Each structure stands twice: as structure tokens, then as C-alpha cells.
Amino acid sequence: MSHLFQTYSRWNIEIKEAAGSWAIDTSGKKYLDFIQGIAVTNLGHNHPNVNQAIKKQLDQVWHVSNLFENGLQEKAAEKLVANSSGDLVFFCNSGAEANEGAIKLARKATGKTNIVTFLHSFHGRTYAGMAATGQDKIKTGFGPMLEGFHYLPYNDLEAISTCKVNDIAAVMLEVVQGEGGVNPAKAEFLQAVQAFCQKHQALLIIDEIQTGIGRTGEAFAYEHANLDPDIISVAKGLGNGFPVGAIIGKKALGEAFSPGSHGTTFGGNMLAMAAVNATLDLVFNNEFLSEVKEKGAYLLSKLQAVKQLNIVKEVRGKGLMAGIECYQPVGEYITALRKQGLLVLPAGPNVIRLLPPLNVETIEMDQAIEAIIHVLSNETVTV
């Protein structure tokens, strides 16, 4: 009998060790991991630079209150600011906390409460995160949601141009909807959203929890559309597996987050900051990001072979974030891929999501695609 709340439909696999793109379970079976903790270990499992930085910090100091100066936070914040549109950073522990803080910051800075988000979005499981999310299934059973959220169709230019919501504090969106099905936004849609924000004196919040830290081939995915967001939320890949999140904001918002307005006990602790600094030193490098773009283009190009299969409706993605949409539920196919030694996950009922590490090898992508073609073309798989 498990003494854990059964909030996850867990697979009957326990990983005992992992390195790079590979993971080994307690039975000794080896897997090519194209989940990576759901876009978390962007540098692969057990990266030596990140490990070394954390181990070094372990022997110095783990945690003090945020009432003390923290040079590691300052270094990490400087790197995030240098590679984004922001000027100021608040460190927290997770993506949900980052989005919660972003919503608080937008409301407090503008004095307005209405926030526009989009259908099929996902912004976390706190009450503000659930309220911002454009999926009813996330909210079922939890009672009244936080008020003030309004949902528009994603990638719909007309919906933006005809939106009648007044007193808007912010528009919040993902450049590529992850949990919603790996749906990339069109550049003209993103530009229309930014123009809408400017017209209504609303802040633009970009949720980069899954797309940030190099996942799409830029430091942040919004850069592909030349956006200038006021607030960016980031987590997942930020510490390559160490729990950490951050809010990045414009200098003009600094007054809204004055002393006592927001806080965290564990956010920005020394171990997390050691992981962040080591991760960003590797990812925020032009040569590294160029390689991610090249690998992403290679992956999506090779996946065109998958698109020829009868059950596949569409292949889409950005950088090393890809989705294979099928005409039917993909749960049994994902199980079959695990048996083949490839770990992937769903994004909604009909989409297989691929999130390899950013330093994945070409031969590993080829191996993954070979397994996917084998499984999706196998008529004996029961769905």
C-alpha cells in the first residue's frame, strides 16, 4: 500500500540512475529519455558542471534568510537580465510560484485586476495559476476560482482585435503552449497581442516555464517574434533539475515589489543559485543556442517521415520541443514506446510530446524517430 496521495497516474518504472540523454530503471532497463523531467534537465541528467557547482556549495552554506545579501542571486539575476528584456529578478521555487508572483506583480503595479489568457493554456496549479489556465479540467472540484480572468482563442487575431475586456492589468501567454498540445503561436498573433497591450496600457506577461532557458533555440522563446515583455516567468530548465523559479520584470515595476510586498522562505537559496549559475553559463552561449536551433530543425525535419503515417494528423514544434498529433488517443503508443526503450509523454489526449535534452546527439534523435515510426506504424498496438 502506498502512503502517497494518488495525484499521479504513475508508470510502473523507477529510475535508479541517469546521465545525459539516458536513464536506467531498477530492473536495469535502459531508456532514451525524451522527457527530461518535462523540459527540466535541459543539459541532460547528471551534468558534471551543475553537479560540481552544487557539491561545492554544499560544503559552504545551504540556506540563509533572504534578509541577508546573496551574491549568488546577484550573479544569476545579472545573467537573466543580460539575456532578456527585463531589469529585475525575484527568485522562487517553481513555475507555479513564478506565475503566481507574475500575476501579483501585474495587478499591484497597474492597480487593475483583469487578466486576459488563452484557451488550452497551462499556468500552474495554485489558485491563481488555475484561474489563469484556459482548461476547465484543471479546475474541476476546487470551487470558485480567483476572479478577473478572461479567456480568448489562441492564435486568433480577430479575437484579440475585438476583445471587449476593460481595465486590463495584463495579457498572459505561452509562446508555445506545452500542456495544451505543443501549439506554437504565429508571429503575427504575438505582435497583435503586444499591440493590444500597448493600446490598453496593459502589461505583457510571457510564461516561459517550459519554453525558456534555450528550449527553442533562443534564451527565451519570445525572442523569435521580437517581443518586449514586461514580465517573464521562468523555471523548469533554470536549475537543470534543482527546484527553482524566477520572475523577470521591467525596472518600472520595481516599486510595486517593494520591501514586504512579496517573499519566499526557500526561494533563491544558495544551492539553487549554484545550480542556476552553472546552468546559465552553459546555455546562455551563442554557440550552444545555435546548436540547439540546428538540432531542433533536424528533429522537425526528420519527423516529417512520421507525418506520412496514416494515424498522424500533424507534426509541430519549435526548437527541441516537438509534438506529434494523432487522430486518436496516444496513451497506448506511449506505453509501447517505453517498451521500446524511449520515454516520451502526452500533451493532451492525442499528442505525443518530445523534449530531449538540448545537448542531445543526432544519433539519439535518429534512434528516437526510428522507434516512433516503428510503433506508430504497428497495427497490432491496441488503442
Side-chain angles (χ1 to χ4, degrees), residues 16 19 30 38 42 45 71 77 79 85 88 105 112 182 203 207 216 287 297 301 350 354 366 368 373 380 383:
K16 69 172 182 178
K30 190 175 181 180
I38 313 183
N42 281 4
H45 296 290
K79 292 166 188 174
S85 63
L88 300 168
L105 178 58
K112 298 182 284 188
V182 192
L203 301 177
D207 179 342
T216 66
E287 184 177 347
S301 173
N350 288 16
L354 310 178
D366 290 342
I373 292 173
T380 64
V383 295

Side-chain angles (χ1 to χ4, degrees), residues 281-297:
D281 282 343
L282 292 169
V283 175
F284 286 174
N285 175 286
N286 289 336
E287 184 177 347
F288 183 90
L289 291 173
S290 292
E291 290 178 0
V292 175
K293 287 180 186 175
E294 291 173 6
K295 291 174 182 177

Side-chain angles (χ1 to χ4, degrees), residues 103-302:
I103 290 165
K104 287 178 66 176
L105 178 58
R107 284 184 160 187
K108 193 167 188 291
T110 63
K112 298 182 284 188
T113 57
N114 285 325
I115 293 178
V116 173
T117 67
F118 295 90
L119 298 176
H120 306 297
S121 60
F122 181 78
H123 298 294
R125 295 184 183 273
T126 61
Y127 267 93
M130 286 194 297
T133 293
Q135 300 186 55
D136 288 342
K137 67 180 182 180
I138 300 298
K139 310 170 192 181
T140 301
F142 292 104
M145 290 290 108
L146 185 65
E147 295 179 351
F149 288 86
H150 307 267
Y151 315 98
L152 298 179
Y154 191 70
N155 264 336
D156 190 323
L157 290 169
E158 184 178 356
I160 283 290
S161 63
T162 60
C163 178
K164 301 300 182 185
V165 178
N166 296 315
D167 299 318
I168 301 173
V171 177
M172 183 177 192
L173 60 78
E174 303 156 272
V175 174
V176 182
Q177 290 185 330
E179 305 303 317
V182 192
N183 300 311
K186 298 172 184 175
E188 58 268 30
F189 169 72
L190 294 173
Q191 290 296 330
V193 170
Q194 182 161 269
F196 177 87
C197 289
Q198 293 168 349
K199 177 181 177 181
H200 291 269
Q201 295 184 312
L203 301 177
L204 177 58
I205 303 174
I206 303 293
D207 179 342
E208 292 269 7
I209 304 302
Q210 193 163 149
T211 55
I213 317 302
R215 175 55 55 182
T216 66
E218 299 283 0
F220 298 99
Y222 73 81
E223 295 177 76
H224 292 284
N226 295 315
L227 298 181
D228 185 26
D230 300 286
I231 302 172
I232 307 157
S233 57
V234 61
K236 286 190 180 288
L238 182 58
N240 205 58
F242 201 97
V244 61
I247 309 160
I248 308 168
K250 295 278 195 184
K251 184 177 181 180
L253 304 175
E255 195 172 316
F257 263 13
S258 57
S261 60
H262 193 51
T264 171
T265 296
F266 297 108
N269 68 77
M270 275 74 164
L271 293 182
M273 292 300 97
V276 169
N277 278 301
T279 300
L280 297 186
D281 282 343
L282 292 169
V283 175
F284 286 174
N285 175 286
N286 289 336
E287 184 177 347
F288 183 90
L289 291 173
S290 292
E291 290 178 0
V292 175
K293 287 180 186 175
E294 291 173 6
K295 291 174 182 177
Y298 180 87
L299 178 63
L300 289 171
S301 173
K302 288 291 185 177

Side-chain angles (χ1 to χ4, degrees), residues 88-101:
L88 300 168
V89 178
F90 177 90
F91 287 107
C92 51
N93 303 287
S94 68
E97 285 186 31
N99 281 339
E100 186 89 7

Side-chain angles (χ1 to χ4, degrees), residues 301-377:
S301 173
K302 288 291 185 177
L303 283 172
Q304 295 309 305
V306 176
K307 192 176 179 180
Q308 306 307 313
L309 301 175
N310 290 333
I311 71 163
V312 175
K313 180 179 180 181
E314 186 180 12
V315 171
R316 54 182 178 260
K318 195 79 172 174
L320 287 171
M321 182 178 184
I324 303 168
E325 183 176 3
C326 297
Y327 288 105
Q328 56 205 37
V330 297
E332 294 295 331
Y333 291 111
I334 289 173
T335 299
L337 286 167
R338 285 203 300 275
K339 292 177 181 178
Q340 292 285 320
L342 175 64
L343 300 178
V344 296
L345 72 161
N350 288 16
V351 177
I352 298 171
R353 184 172 17 162
L354 310 178
L355 296 165
L358 305 186
N359 48 8
V360 64
E361 299 290 342
T362 301
I363 192 172
E364 294 168 340
M365 290 189 280
D366 290 342
Q367 184 174 338
I369 292 165
E370 183 180 345
I372 291 166
I373 292 173
H374 173 77
V375 166
L376 294 187
S377 59

